[in-house]
Amino acid sequence: MGERWCAAVRVLVLQAAWALAGGQVRYSVPEEAKAGTVVGRLAQDLGLEAGEAEARRLRLVAQGRRASVEVSGASGALVVSSRLDREELCAKSAPCALRLEVLVERPLRVFHVELEVTDINDNAPIFPAARKNLSIAESSVPGSRFPLEGASDADIGANAQLSYTLSPSEHFSLDLQRSEEYRESLFLVLTKSLDRETIPVHRLVLTASDGGRPSLTGTMELVISVLDANDNAPKFNQSVYKVQLRENATEGTLVARVNATDPDLGSNSDVVYTLSNTFPEEGVNIFHLNAKTGEIHLGGTVDYEDIRSYEIQIEATDKGTPPLSGHCKVVLEVVDVNDNAPEVRVTSLSVPVSEDASVGTVVALLSVSDRDSGANGRVRCWVWPASPFGLEATFAGSYSLVLREALDRERVSEYEVEVRAEDGGAPALRASRGLRVPVSDVNDNAPAFSQAVYTVLARENNAAGAELARLWARDPDEAGNGRVSYSVWEGGAAAVSSSSSSGVGAGGWRPASSYVSVDAESGRVWALQPLDYEELQVLQFEVRAVDAGEPPLYGNATVQLFVLDENDNAPALLPAAGSAPEAGGAAGEAAAAAAAGLGSVSDTLWAWAAWGAPAGQVVAKIRAVDADSGYNAWLRYELWEPRAKGPFRVGLYSGEVSTARALDEADGPRHRLLIVVRDHGEPARSATATLSVSLVEAAEAALAAGSSSSSSSRAALGAEMGPGAASAATNVWLVVAICAVSSLFLLAVVLYGASRWAPRAAVLSGPGPTTLVCASEVGSWSYSQRHSRSLCVADGAAKSDLMVFSPNFPPPPPGPAPKDTQPEPSALLDTVSGPSFVFFSGPSHPPSELLLLEAGLIFHRLGTLGV
C-alpha cells in the first residue's frame, strides 16, 4: 500500500514539472544520419526514472507517413530508425521540423516532441543539360555576350550558394551578375576573334561549385561551332603515305586510302583524285584509284620475290574557279609471307657405312635454302630419328650428316634417315629429304650357343652313326662373318672304366672325338661307335662353333652325354662261399680256377651239410654279379630243381642255400640243386648254377668248411708244381690236419670250459677285412660289377649271429661309388669282397658242434700262418 502511494506521488510531481516546462521537448539531428543514431534521451527528458520507460510503455504515436525515428524500449532513447532526407521531407523550406507525439501509459499521458532535421551538403549543383551547342560566326567581334542558363542546388543556405568557372580559353570568358531583386544572370563573353580554319569548333567546360564543406560541383559542356568562309585550297594530310601489303593479298584488297581536305565550303571543298604516275610502270595495271574516295585497291598480284616496293603519285583537285590542286606520294612496301618451303638437296652421299665407323664420320653433305627473307627464310634443320646420326653446319646453308653413335649392324642393318627443314614463318613450312644409309658388316660377333651346357641322354648299344643331339649357334653377322662351322674341341676327354665289357684292359682317358662327331654345317652330333654303359657312363666334351670372318671368332658349348643303361649283360656266377673239392677231383679244379682269377667258374658247385643240421642252417651261398646297373643289376635267386619240396631252399635276394628242415638219413647222401639267377631288366636275363650238396657227419662238415679257406692258395701252389706234386702236397696237409685236430682237441675242451666263465670273442680275425653281415635267414647282398648294392631282406625268422671272415681273395673289379638302386630297406650296408667262412654262436647249437667248428677254425688259422 505504501509503494502505490509513493508511485502516485512521483506521477503528480512529474505532471507538475511537465506543465511548468510547457509540455514540449526539442531535438535536432542532421539528415542522412545512420540508423541507430541516438537523437536524445527521451525518457530522461520526460522525467521518467530508469526502467519506467519500458514499464509504462513509452512509445511514439504513429503518424500519417512512415516515421524515421523510434523509441528504444529498454533505454527510452529516441533513435534513428531509417534514412532521413531533409530535401525529401521539407524541400527548400527552412527550418525543417518534424512534430512527434509520445504516449506514456499508467497513467496515460501524451507528450509533444519537435525534431529538427538540419541540412548537410549532400546535393551537387545540376545544369539543365549536360551539353549546350552554340553557333558563333567567324566574323563576330570581341566583347560579344551570349547568355547561359545557370545550375540549381537542392540544398539550402550556404550549401546552395553557387559560383562558376570556365575551362581555360583565349577566346572566351564568363560574366556573372547578381541582384537582390532578380535571379543571378550568367553570360559567355567573346574575348578574341575566331578563325574557323584554325579552330572550327571550341569545346569548353562550365563548372558550378556550391558553398558547402566540402564543396560539390556540377559541369556542362559548351560546344561552340565557328561559321567559315571559302579561302583555302585542297591539301593532303600526308605528303608521303607509307603502306605495307602482304604478297599473298587477294585481288580487290584495299591497299591505302589518301585524303585531301579543303577548308572551304560548298563546291570549293569538293575534291577529285587522279593517279598521275607509278614506279615501276607495272604498277599502273596492278593498282586502281577511286577518284571520289581516294581508296587504292589491288587489281592484280604482287610477289615479294619479284618486286619488293612501288611508288604511286596521286593528285587531288577541287572544283573551285580556278581549280586548286595538291599532290602526295604513296610508297607501298610488299611484305614477305612464308609462301616458299625450304629446299633440301644432297650434294654428296657416302654409303654403305661400316658398322665399326668411328663417331664423327661424315656420311653425306647437304645444302638447304629458302627463297623467303627474314624469319621466313631462316631455316632450321635436324635429322629424324635423332640417333645415331646428326647434322653439323659447315657454313651458311650447308650441313654435314655425321655419325653421332656407334653402329651395330646386327641391331639395325639399314637406316632410313630423314633430313627435315623448317623455316621460321608463321605458320612454318617444312621440307624433308629421305636418305637410305645401309650398314656394312664386320666380324664383331662370335657364334653363341643358345645354352652354355647341353644335357643329352643316349641309350647304350646305339647304332654307329646315330644322331645324338643337334646344336645350333647363332652368329648375327652376315655372309661369311655369320657362316658357322662346328667341331669337337680336341681338349675334351672321357673316363673309361677298367672293367669294360668291350675288352679295355685298364681304365684311362680317351678323346671325346673317338666317341662322337659333329657335322660341321648342321651341328648334329653323331655317334661314331655304339656306346657301352659299362665302359662309359658320362661323356663330357666341348663343341666349338667358328665363323668364317677375318679374324675368325668362336664360341664353345659343353655337352654332357649321359649313357643310359640297358639290360645287355646276363648275371655271372662267382665261386660259392664254403665250397670245397670232393676227393680232389673236378671240384678241386674248379676252386683252383676261381682262385687263379680266370673268370667264370664251373656250372657245378660243391657244398657240404651235416647230418641232423637244423632248419635254417646256411649250407652255401650262390654269388653272382651283373655288369649292368640299377634294376638291370638287381639279382634274385630261384630254386629251379627240384620242383617238389626238398630239404633245401634259396634266399630270393641273398643267394644263401639253407636247410628248409632238419636233415636226416632219409634225405640221401647227395643232392643236386639247379639254381637260376635272374636280374630285373626288361627283358630279364639269367644264369644257371648247379649246386651239389653232400651230406656228411658234423665233424667232417666243419673240417671241410675250415679246409676250404686255404684251398685257393694250395690250389695255386699245386698249379705251379704240377699235378703229381700237388697231389702229394695235399696228402701231407691232410695228415698234418688230422694230427692237429687230435692234438688240439684237448685245447678245444679247455677253451669251451673257459667260455663258461669268461666272455668269448665272437669274431676270429683273418687275413682279410672282417665284415658283419645280416643275421636273418636270407639276409645278404647282390653284387654288381660296377655298383655294389646292399640288400637285407627279412623273409623268415631271425637266426643266430653270423660272423663272416674274408680271406685273401682278389677284390672285385674297381668301379665308381655305389648308387642305391634297390627298393628294399637295408638293415646293414657293406660289400663282400670274396668267399667267407661262417661261424655260428648261440643257444641253438650243441657244444659238440661248437667244438668241431672251433677246431676247424683253429686249423684254418694255422694253415694261413704256414704251419
Side-chain angles (χ1 to χ4, degrees):
M1 189 68 182
E3 292 180 358
R4 292 183 179 179
W5 184 82
C6 292
V9 171
R10 284 197 298 269
V11 171
L12 293 176
V13 172
L14 179 61
Q15 290 177 352
W18 181 259
L20 293 176
Q24 187 172 1
V25 180
R26 297 179 61 89
Y27 295 106
S28 175
V29 63
E31 65 174 330
E32 305 295 340
K34 294 182 179 180
T37 301
V38 177
V39 177
R41 299 178 179 180
L42 182 59
Q44 184 177 356
D45 294 338
L46 293 179
L48 299 180
E49 294 184 0
E52 283 191 325
E54 186 173 7
R56 298 185 62 185
R57 297 185 60 188
L58 176 66
R59 64 184 185 277
L60 293 177
V61 178
Q63 301 293 328
R65 55 183 177 179
R66 180 180 61 86
S68 299
V69 291
E70 62 183 7
V71 177
S72 175
S75 63
L78 185 65
V79 297
V80 177
S81 63
S82 61
R83 176 176 175 269
L84 288 171
D85 189 359
R86 193 202 65 80
E87 287 75 27
E88 180 183 352
L89 296 174
C90 304
K92 282 288 193 176
S93 301
C96 182
L98 300 179
R99 296 183 179 275
L100 305 176
E101 290 184 356
V102 179
L103 183 65
V104 177
E105 297 182 356
R106 289 185 256 174
L108 182 63
R109 290 295 303 272
V110 177
F111 304 94
H112 296 279
V113 177
E114 185 174 313
L115 178 63
E116 180 182 0
V117 181
T118 60
D119 182 50
I120 64 173
N121 192 24
D122 60 341
N123 292 280
I126 299 175
F127 286 94
R131 178 177 179 178
K132 183 176 180 61
N133 295 321
L134 298 175
S135 296
I136 301 176
E138 184 180 5
S139 58
S140 298
V141 296
S144 300
R145 299 165 63 88
F146 305 94
L148 298 176
E149 187 175 358
S152 60
D153 194 320
D155 295 325
I156 59 175
N159 294 332
Q161 294 295 326
L162 302 181
S163 60
Y164 298 91
T165 57
L166 187 65
S167 60
S169 175
E170 61 178 348
H171 296 281
F172 298 96
S173 64
L174 284 179
D175 182 20
L176 178 61
Q177 296 180 356
R178 298 182 184 274
S179 174
E180 295 181 359
E181 299 179 3
Y182 305 103
R183 189 172 178 270
E184 60 185 16
S185 299
L186 184 62
F187 295 92
L188 180 65
V189 180
L190 179 64
T191 60
K192 184 179 179 180
S193 300
L194 301 176
D195 185 2
R196 196 197 65 83
E197 286 74 28
T198 302
I199 303 176
V201 176
H202 294 264
R203 295 181 180 273
L204 303 177
V205 176
L206 178 61
T207 302
S209 303
D210 58 21
R213 294 288 186 271
S215 177
L216 300 180
T217 61
T219 60
M220 179 177 65
E221 182 184 12
L222 300 178
V223 179
I224 303 170
S225 300
V226 181
L227 302 179
D228 189 38
N230 189 16
D231 56 354
N232 295 280
K235 185 179 181 180
F236 286 95
N237 52 3
Q238 294 178 228
S239 60
V240 177
Y241 291 84
K242 293 183 178 180
V243 295
Q244 292 181 335
L245 179 66
R246 295 171 61 89
E247 64 174 325
N248 61 345
T250 59
E251 186 174 351
T253 300
L254 177 63
V255 176
R257 179 183 289 110
V258 297
N259 183 31
T261 60
D262 192 332
D264 295 333
L265 297 177
S267 61
N268 293 331
S269 62
D270 292 340
V271 179
V272 177
Y273 303 94
T274 58
L275 185 64
S276 59
N277 190 21
T278 61
F279 179 83
E281 295 182 358
E282 290 85 349
V284 175
N285 300 323
I286 296 176
F287 303 103
H288 298 162
L289 176 63
N290 189 309
K292 292 183 178 181
T293 61
E295 294 178 349
I296 303 174
H297 293 270
L298 182 64
T301 58
V302 293
D303 190 352
Y304 173 84
E305 287 70 35
D306 295 336
I307 301 176
R308 298 192 176 186
S309 65
Y310 295 88
E311 290 187 5
I312 305 172
Q313 298 288 341
I314 298 177
E315 182 180 22
T317 305
D318 61 19
K319 297 181 179 180
T321 302
L324 300 177
S325 61
H327 300 82
C328 74
K329 179 169 63 176
V330 178
V331 178
L332 187 144
E333 179 184 355
V334 180
V335 178
D336 180 46
V337 296
N338 195 24
D339 58 345
N340 293 280
E343 296 181 3
V344 181
R345 294 182 298 275
V346 179
T347 58
S348 177
L349 180 63
S350 179
V351 292
V353 181
S354 177
E355 67 174 321
D356 61 350
S358 60
V359 175
T361 301
V362 178
V363 178
L365 298 177
L366 305 101
S367 64
V368 181
S369 62
D370 194 319
R371 293 184 61 198
D372 295 323
S373 63
N376 296 331
R378 191 177 303 116
V379 181
R380 180 175 66 93
C381 296
W382 71 94
V383 176
W384 188 89
S387 69
F389 300 101
L391 281 182
E392 291 184 358
T394 54
F395 50 90
S398 296
Y399 296 88
S400 296
L401 181 66
V402 297
L403 187 63
R404 291 284 177 82
E405 299 176 4
L407 299 177
D408 186 0
R409 191 209 62 83
E410 288 70 39
R411 185 171 60 88
V412 181
S413 61
E414 183 177 278
Y415 290 90
E416 293 292 338
V417 179
E418 191 175 72
V419 179
R420 296 180 175 181
E422 180 184 72
D423 58 27
L429 298 181
R430 297 178 178 87
S432 62
R433 178 65 181 270
L435 298 177
R436 177 179 170 272
V437 182
V439 181
S440 60
D441 183 55
V442 296
N443 191 25
D444 58 344
N445 291 276
F449 288 91
S450 58
Q451 298 176 220
V453 178
Y454 290 83
T455 301
V456 179
L457 303 179
R459 292 190 174 275
E460 64 174 332
N461 303 322
N462 59 295
E467 181 179 341
L468 302 179
R470 180 174 300 181
L471 278 63
W472 181 72
R474 178 181 179 273
D475 192 327
D477 295 326
E478 66 177 354
N481 296 332
R483 188 166 55 251
V484 180
S485 59
Y486 305 89
S487 63
V488 177
W489 185 43
E490 293 302 330
V496 180
S497 173
S498 62
S499 57
S500 169
S501 62
S502 61
V504 179
W509 294 89
R510 291 178 57 183
S513 58
S514 62
Y515 291 97
V516 294
S517 175
V518 179
D519 185 83
E521 294 184 359
S522 64
R524 296 181 178 179
V525 181
W526 309 94
L528 296 178
Q529 62 182 10
L531 299 177
D532 188 357
Y533 176 82
E534 289 70 39
E535 174 188 348
L536 180 69
Q537 287 81 45
V538 180
L539 176 61
Q540 180 171 315
F541 58 92
E542 300 283 336
V543 175
R544 173 165 291 182
V546 183
D547 60 25
E550 288 295 337
L553 302 178
Y554 64 88
N556 293 339
T558 301
V559 179
Q560 293 181 343
L561 177 64
F562 292 88
V563 182
L564 303 180
D565 181 51
E566 289 190 347
N567 194 25
D568 57 346
N569 292 280
L573 297 174
L574 295 176
S579 63
E582 185 183 60
E589 295 178 358
L598 299 180
S600 302
V601 299
S602 172
D603 290 341
T604 302
L605 304 177
W606 304 89
W608 292 265
W611 294 104
Q617 181 174 346
V618 178
V619 175
K621 181 177 180 64
I622 305 300
R623 298 191 305 152
V625 296
D626 195 317
D628 296 321
S629 66
Y631 279 87
N632 296 331
W634 184 20
L635 303 180
R636 59 183 177 182
Y637 303 86
E638 300 176 3
L639 183 60
W640 190 257
E641 289 183 0
R643 294 279 185 163
K645 292 185 178 180
F648 300 98
R649 62 183 179 183
V650 178
L652 179 62
Y653 295 106
S654 65
E656 293 180 346
V657 180
S658 59
T659 56
R661 54 181 173 80
L663 301 177
D664 51 25
E665 295 182 356
D667 292 324
R670 179 172 295 177
H671 293 267
R672 181 177 178 274
L673 306 179
L674 185 61
I675 299 173
V676 178
V677 183
R678 300 179 187 273
D679 57 27
H680 283 74
E682 289 293 339
R685 294 178 178 269
S686 63
T688 304
T690 302
L691 178 65
S692 178
V693 182
S694 299
L695 301 182
V696 296
E697 295 297 332
E700 295 179 3
L703 180 62
S707 63
S708 63
S709 63
S710 59
S711 62
S712 298
S713 60
R714 293 197 302 272
L717 179 62
E720 294 179 358
M721 295 186 298
S727 177
T730 302
N731 294 331
V732 172
W733 283 108
L734 289 175
V735 173
V736 172
I738 295 173
C739 295
V741 170
S742 301
S743 60
L744 295 177
F745 179 78
L746 180 59
L747 180 61
V749 173
V750 175
L751 294 175
Y752 173 74
S755 65
R756 294 291 184 177
W757 294 276
R760 179 167 57 91
V763 179
L764 296 180
S765 62
T770 302
T771 305
L772 180 64
V773 300
C774 184
S776 64
E777 181 178 359
V778 295
S780 184
W781 291 264
S782 62
Y783 302 100
S784 170
Q785 184 177 5
R786 295 297 298 171
H787 303 286
S788 300
R789 295 293 178 265
S790 302
L791 281 179
C792 179
V793 181
D795 56 355
K799 296 298 180 180
S800 303
D801 295 339
L802 172 64
M803 301 303 297
V804 179
F805 300 91
S806 299
N808 295 330
F809 191 80
K819 298 185 297 182
D820 292 336
T821 58
Q822 309 295 347
E824 287 79 11
S826 299
L828 185 63
L829 303 179
D830 203 342
T831 302
V832 180
S833 59
S836 303
F837 295 95
V838 297
F839 175 78
F840 296 95
S841 65
S844 61
H845 298 283
S848 59
E849 294 181 2
L850 293 175
L851 291 175
L852 291 176
L853 289 174
E854 289 197 11
L857 293 173
I858 293 172
F859 169 76
H860 164 66
R861 180 63 175 169
L862 294 175
T864 57
L865 296 176
V867 178

